[in-house]
Amino acid sequence: MRVYVPATVGMLRQFVADGELRPVRGTAFALTPALREAYVSGSTEELEYAALLDAARASLRLLSAHEPEQSDIKEPPRRVVVSADVDNVTARPDLDHAVVRLAGPISMDDVAAVHVDAPEAEQAVLAAAAVIDAADLGDPDAEFVLGDVEDHELAWYAPQELPFLLELM
């Protein structure tokens, strides 16, 4: 099953160093039966894109929880989503339509692509990470800020490009 794992640039660096990515609490997003039922229409590609966007929003939550003083390296504020093909996925419709739980870590061989914001999105990412909790609680102003960051498309990278991408950051 294709899953979309929310991450940060720091998590990507660790992934390249270790050769495996452990999603936070095993949480990822995918085109689940519950997600398909939640939409009146939509192709498989459109619904997978919706799951990727859910993962990108979860990446904002990871960024908002990050405490910069805990790290010597200041990572650029960018949404990161790792697309991977894995088995042993359990749907979690009790959390949300697209949420799944992974049984274990993801290896580089599992990765289909990595999606990362361009530098131009950094200010919008910072603003959205600051209001993600308020948006989750229904604040219309915070939702507007999230709309600004979601106007930035995530760039696509092949797994073998990751070391070069990280070197350029």
Side-chain angles (χ1 to χ4, degrees), residues 80-160:
V80 175
V81 176
V82 177
S83 299
D85 295 314
V86 298
D87 297 322
N88 293 328
V89 175
T90 305
R92 291 295 313 267
D94 55 314
L95 296 177
D96 204 348
H97 298 301
V99 177
V100 295
R101 179 95 44 213
L102 304 182
I106 292 172
S107 74
M108 198 59 77
D109 291 338
D110 298 328
V111 176
V114 177
H115 311 272
V116 181
D117 274 313
E120 299 80 38
E122 287 182 4
Q123 290 306 311
V125 168
L126 285 171
V131 300
I132 187 71
D133 291 336
D136 286 344
L137 295 172
D139 181 318
D141 292 332
E143 277 292 333
F144 183 77
V145 173
L146 283 182
D148 286 345
V149 77
E150 289 171 351
D151 285 343
H152 292 273
E153 291 289 327
L154 296 169
W156 180 96
Y157 297 92
Q160 62 270 24

Side-chain angles (χ1 to χ4, degrees), residues 2-3 11 13 16 20 23 25 35 38 47 52 54 59 63 68 70 82 91 94 107-108 115 121 142 151 158 160:
R2 173 70 47 96
V3 297
M11 290 172 71
R13 286 190 198 285
V16 169
E20 68 178 24
R25 294 186 195 98
L35 181 63
L47 296 175
L52 182 138
D54 284 348
S59 177
L63 289 168
Q70 291 180 346
V82 177
D94 55 314
S107 74
M108 198 59 77
H115 311 272
D151 285 343
Q160 62 270 24

